Amino acid sequence: MDSGLGWLGVPLAVVGGALRVSTPFLFVSLGECLTEKSGRINLGLEGVLVMGAMTGYAVSYYTGSPWLGVLGAGFAGLLLGVLHALICNLPRVNDIAVGIGLMLFGTGLAFFLGKPFVQPSAPLLHAIEFGAWSDSTQIRSALRVNPLFIGGILLALSMHWAFRNTRWGMVVRMVGDSADAARAMGYSVNRVRLMATACGSFFAGVGGAFLSLYYPGSWNEGLSSGQGLMAVALVIFARWRPIACFWAALLFGGAAALGPALQSVGVTGGYYLFNAAPYVLTLAIMIATCSPHRTLAGAPGELSVTK
Amino acid sequence: MNSRKSPVTRRSVLKALALTGAATAAGPAFWPRAEAAGSLVVGVIYVGPKDDYGYSQAQAQAAAAIRKIPGLTVVEQEKVAETTDVQKVMASMIEQDEATLLFPTSFGYFDPHVLKMAEKYPEIRFAHCGGLWQAGKHPKNVGSYFGYIDECQYLNGVVAAHATKTKKLGFIAAKPIPQVLRNINAFTLGAQSVKPDITTQVIFTGDWLLPVKEAEAANSLIDQGIDVMTMHVDSPKVIVETCERRRIHVCGYHADQSALAPKGYLTGAEWNWITPYTTHVKAAMSGTSMPNILRGGLKEGYVKTSPYGPGASAAARKRADGVKAKMMKGEYVIFKGPLKDNTGRTVIPAGTSHVQTDVVLEQMDYLVAGVIGKV
């Protein structure tokens, strides 16, 4: 173990933190982006995230394979997403209210089913060492990247491409922008939204598996401190663009790492303030991007918030 | 999200209150719930899951131990928030399970929740964990029990000092309250008793259970060259596992976490709540008055240390065992003058020494010299 980096450690810790903490944000925001592109808001992704974390940990514990855990987490999310979509397909159902219900249901169910998994240690996902070239343990630790993070980048890129270049992407966007137009074209609005919500929840479930199977890598009830909800705000900040979701997730991850990093070099005053950085950032973004005179640029036309 | 059995409504509580009042007025013979024939129902309430490798697990181990006492029934509820929720849980344990001795174990349950319920149910015993009960100010049917775990943190420090190469220790703490500060200070003084130039870097996370922040804090500290870590959070599991993954040494807290870090675990500061639980149960069963203040350290059997891990050298074990033997005899004083805090102020003048029972120590609001951090 070599000696500390001192002040240089702060930017390094923020970069490392961004790489470590951002993945759940990334997956939940991509999932939410897909759902919202189809014209529906799923506020329940916080519940899906927690449920995914629990399922991933449990499956990994029983099967011994963390990747099966990731898959299991995705499918647990998918089921919750289908539930949300089916309820919202009923006439005159408010998607935001259902989302809040789903959030409470998902976290409650995860806490209930997750009881036996608080104590045991499940096998975790391994990281890819991008810092192997360096002699510094700090750099090596900061550049230890989980394959799921890379999966998230690829997912963001492919969603960006698919929304513009594939028939499926176009259909999702059309349903989200004008349900009437989609109906006139002969597409079932409800079916498209069902699939978009289900896929989006699958992504959020995978994000949950990252929490329990990689970082911090343990299942307990305080695991998600609102990452799922913050990711929903992040989608608005990213203006419903998948690539921007990626940058926003990095920014939020880095903000979460700032507080501990500053304290570790001896900046000890105001740690409550630095710890609140991600939340302050959320609030600042909401204030900066809202305006009474215009709807948000890039917002899908069918979203109930923008109507 | 909190599963409650059947919620006790305001009305039923009021009704019970009225009944209690009437019964007390009519005389003790009217009240059917006398502690009869040595049978006793004990209710234990936890803030977290009882197998969290932490605070709640330490309490649950004691609850499991008193279960073996004949004539005793234990009812438990986990994950009860420090809100009016805990009042409802206490009421339902009293009304439905007929519990007459309650252990509301979390620190934040005390004021106002335990105090309120103690007034409503004057014949029920409330044994609260933490050092908050004061004579003359709080009801007689409430008691507090607590242990001088800083003795074990001091021993952690002694062992940590032998294991560190960088002479930089790390401490991840939840909030700067007196008990936490006392642990940080004891850990640092223990380490400095071996190598006087050792420093302890503190990170306050802001709350008792924040796994992502705790992992982030551990990684930041390790990046700064810290090579032995300890903590004061509700569930040390994430920190201990992170330390093991980053291959540094770690001293445990609350319960035995050696299974989580088979290589890096040095030793740990553990509660031994069986002692105060047994005292309370015996008092309740025999009908003697409520023991309002129960305190103790290693000597009294309120705290214990984890078995040494492979990282604890022979020299470290020898030194720590020596100090421990003195503590067991009640001869060792941790906080004695001259002692300066980390701003240079003298907090304990030369010639003064505070033994463990000294209440001055329960109002600690400073970090000793050598601790990097601010309250």
Side-chain angles (χ1 to χ4, degrees):
Chain A
M1 179 65 64
D2 41 6
S3 65
L5 282 181
W7 271 96
L8 260 180
V10 175
L12 188 66
V14 169
V15 170
L19 295 180
R20 287 188 293 250
V21 183
S22 63
T23 311
F25 285 121
L26 178 60
F27 274 90
V28 177
S29 63
L30 287 178
E32 185 66 23
C33 180
L34 178 60
T35 309
E36 290 192 14
K37 277 280 188 193
S38 78
R40 220 175 243 165
I41 289 183
N42 183 1
L43 276 186
L45 289 189
E46 168 80 10
V48 173
L49 182 84
V50 176
M51 191 64 198
M54 192 285 293
T55 314
Y57 201 70
V59 171
S60 168
Y61 176 63
Y62 279 126
T63 63
S65 158
W67 285 107
L68 276 180
V70 172
L71 204 64
F75 277 104
L78 188 120
L79 287 179
L80 286 177
V82 167
L83 181 71
H84 180 273
L86 287 179
I87 296 173
C88 289
N89 281 354
L90 300 171
R92 284 186 296 283
V93 170
N94 181 304
D95 53 351
I96 293 185
V98 175
I100 292 172
L102 188 72
M103 176 168 79
L104 297 174
F105 174 69
T107 41
L109 190 68
F111 290 178
F112 176 72
L113 296 174
K115 253 243 88 245
F117 305 108
V118 175
Q119 181 128 39
S121 294
L124 302 182
L125 293 170
H126 289 290
I128 304 174
E129 309 272 347
F130 281 108
W133 48 270
S134 168
D135 294 333
S136 152
T137 46
Q138 290 90 347
I139 290 177
R140 257 183 278 159
S141 126
L143 293 183
R144 197 169 286 153
V145 173
N146 188 276
L148 275 181
F149 178 73
I150 298 166
I153 299 175
L154 294 179
L155 184 66
L157 288 171
S158 51
M159 270 175 67
H160 174 79
W161 176 79
F163 277 137
R164 284 154 193 259
N165 296 305
T166 66
R167 183 179 188 82
W168 273 103
M170 307 273 195
V171 171
V172 169
R173 276 169 60 200
M174 177 165 63
V175 167
D177 270 329
S178 169
D180 291 338
R183 263 186 224 105
M185 295 282 288
Y187 290 105
S188 162
V189 174
N190 278 348
R191 196 183 304 155
V192 172
R193 287 183 179 163
L194 177 100
M195 283 160 124
T197 313
C199 283
S201 295
F202 184 93
F203 299 158
V206 171
F210 178 90
L211 280 178
S212 63
L213 290 177
Y214 183 69
Y215 196 78
S218 174
W219 158 250
N220 72 44
E221 284 141 10
L223 193 58
S224 161
S225 41
Q227 281 106 322
L229 279 175
M230 269 149 56
V232 175
L234 201 143
V235 176
I236 302 175
F237 172 51
R239 296 285 164 81
W240 296 269
R241 287 172 306 195
I243 307 269
C245 281
F246 167 70
W247 295 115
L250 274 188
L251 187 67
F252 273 64
L258 185 66
L262 281 176
Q263 276 196 66
S264 75
V265 294
V267 180
T268 48
Y271 51 85
Y272 278 104
L273 199 66
F274 292 123
N275 284 347
Y279 308 98
V280 174
L281 195 64
T282 313
L283 205 65
I285 285 163
M286 295 317 252
I287 293 168
T289 53
C290 82
S291 159
H293 305 298
R294 54 179 167 80
T295 54
L296 290 173
E302 289 282 322
L303 275 191
S304 47
V305 278
T306 50
K307 259 188 189 168
Chain B
M1 284 164 280
N2 287 303
S3 58
R4 288 172 213 127
K5 282 178 213 164
S6 67
V8 176
T9 61
R10 183 184 296 267
R11 184 174 297 171
S12 72
V13 170
L14 283 174
K15 214 188 284 171
L17 230 182
L19 255 175
T20 314
T24 332
F30 189 85
W31 192 245
R33 202 184 291 149
E35 282 127 10
S39 79
L40 178 71
V41 180
V42 177
V44 190
I45 305 168
Y46 310 104
V47 71
K50 62 180 182 182
D51 46 6
D52 62 351
Y53 274 105
Y55 187 85
S56 297
Q57 177 168 325
Q59 301 278 352
Q61 281 168 349
I66 57 165
R67 229 179 248 279
K68 296 185 188 114
I69 300 172
L72 191 115
T73 321
V74 177
V75 288
E76 295 174 293
Q77 188 148 345
E78 302 168 70
K79 279 178 25 216
V80 180
E82 293 172 338
T83 61
T84 46
D85 272 3
V86 70
Q87 295 190 30
K88 289 179 193 157
V89 172
M90 285 191 269
S92 79
M93 280 182 168
I94 295 166
E95 296 290 335
Q96 290 171 5
D97 304 315
E98 306 204 326
T100 51
L101 170 61
L102 292 183
F103 288 94
T105 58
S106 186
F107 191 81
Y109 290 159
F110 190 74
D111 193 6
H113 310 295
V114 166
L115 294 178
K116 250 186 203 163
M117 297 305 282
E119 272 173 36
K120 278 183 195 165
Y121 297 98
E123 72 293 344
I124 305 287
R125 292 157 182 261
F126 296 85
H128 177 256
C129 183
L132 295 171
W133 189 87
Q134 285 173 24
K137 190 176 166 196
H138 295 133
K140 284 269 184 220
N141 57 328
V142 178
S144 66
Y145 60 95
F146 205 65
Y148 301 126
I149 201 162
D150 52 321
E151 293 176 359
C152 301
Q153 278 293 15
Y154 188 89
L155 295 172
N156 274 353
V158 171
V159 178
H162 284 87
T164 180
K165 290 191 181 75
T166 59
K167 294 190 181 175
K168 286 157 114 182
L169 312 180
F171 200 116
I172 298 172
K175 297 180 184 188
I177 62 168
Q179 288 146 346
V180 175
L181 299 178
R182 190 169 169 176
N183 277 336
I184 298 170
N185 290 338
F187 179 68
T188 309
L189 291 174
Q192 288 173 344
S193 75
V194 181
K195 292 175 188 164
D197 55 342
I198 277 184
T199 58
T200 305
Q201 174 77 53
V202 181
I203 288 187
F204 291 107
T205 59
D207 219 331
W208 297 106
L209 182 60
L210 293 171
V212 175
K213 195 147 282 165
E214 286 157 16
E216 205 46 55
N219 278 312
S220 299
L221 285 174
I222 297 165
D223 287 343
Q224 289 300 326
I226 269 126
D227 62 355
V228 186
M229 190 90 72
T230 189
M231 72 301 286
H232 189 158
V233 297
D234 259 6
S235 173
K237 192 181 178 200
V238 162
I239 298 174
V240 173
E241 285 179 333
T242 305
C243 291
E244 181 76 353
R245 253 174 259 150
R246 297 283 308 261
R247 296 191 190 96
I248 69 157
H249 289 299
V250 60
C251 296
Y253 191 64
H254 287 315
D256 186 358
Q257 288 106 16
S258 54
L260 299 174
K263 289 197 197 88
Y265 200 77
L266 292 175
T267 179
E270 297 178 36
W271 301 106
N272 191 27
W273 292 132
I274 298 157
T275 315
Y277 272 55
T278 315
T279 312
H280 273 297
V281 167
K282 276 188 185 149
M285 279 185 153
S286 61
T288 53
S289 64
M290 177 84 184
N292 294 121
I293 294 185
L294 289 179
R295 294 277 201 289
L298 280 164
K299 186 183 163 202
E300 294 81 7
Y302 280 55
V303 293
K304 59 185 177 189
T305 52
S306 309
Y308 295 115
S313 64
R317 290 172 199 221
K318 198 177 161 217
R319 178 108 178 208
D321 283 341
V323 177
K324 190 176 168 186
K326 278 189 195 159
M327 286 176 171
M328 296 292 264
K329 281 190 225 150
E331 288 170 0
Y332 202 88
V333 181
I334 297 175
F335 293 99
K336 54 178 186 279
L339 188 67
K340 281 190 174 168
D341 74 1
N342 62 0
T343 61
R345 189 169 57 106
T346 301
V347 282
I348 303 177
T352 312
S353 60
H354 296 296
V355 290
Q356 286 297 64
T357 47
D358 204 330
V359 284
V360 176
L361 296 177
E362 298 188 13
Q363 290 143 17
M364 195 169 280
D365 59 354
Y366 54 84
L367 291 166
V368 298
V371 179
I372 305 164
K374 206 159 95 186
V375 176

